[in-house]
Amino acid sequence: MTKTVKTLSVILLMTSAMIAQADQQTAMMSGCLGCHKADAKLIGPSFQDIAKKYASQDGAIDTLAETVKAGSPGGKWGETQMPPSPAPIADIKKVIAWMLTH
């Protein structure tokens, strides 16, 4: 039984790492990393700052996904505007879920 639990734990950890890597890759391919960094403000706020503000809010993924899809006129994080994302909403939600883990 212990060997089975250890094996399943390793598989779960590897799967989690692969999902996180895939979502980071989606962020890269979608252009998110052109304006955002994980741990520091670039043009837009860092993923850590966004996570700090929104991670505990109910419906944060859906709310943020709508903002990313439509773009933002500025004002939430300063005057810089965020252009609308052409990425599919499912990809946007995956990236946001990953981003909120920072």
Side-chain angles (χ1 to χ4, degrees):
M1 178 103 167
T2 303
K3 187 175 182 179
T4 302
V5 170
K6 287 180 183 178
T7 301
L8 290 174
S9 295
V10 169
I11 291 170
L12 180 61
L13 286 172
M14 290 174 60
T15 303
S16 296
M18 288 170 36
I19 290 170
Q21 185 178 19
D23 294 336
Q24 181 178 7
Q25 189 171 29
T26 302
M28 291 171 62
M29 291 176 14
S30 298
C32 304
L33 300 179
C35 295
H36 299 278
K37 289 177 67 173
D39 58 357
K41 178 176 175 31
L42 191 55
I43 294 169
S46 71
F47 290 158
Q48 287 177 346
D49 288 341
I50 296 168
K52 196 180 301 181
K53 184 173 182 175
Y54 292 101
S56 63
Q57 294 183 16
D58 289 338
I61 292 174
D62 290 332
T63 300
L64 291 171
E66 290 172 17
T67 299
V68 171
K69 188 68 177 168
S72 176
K76 291 183 183 181
W77 296 95
E79 296 306 313
T80 304
Q81 297 180 2
M82 181 176 63
S85 174
I89 196 75
D91 286 350
I92 293 171
K93 287 182 179 185
K94 282 192 286 187
V95 170
I96 290 170
W98 166 75
M99 178 200 60
L100 291 176
T101 66
H102 284 80

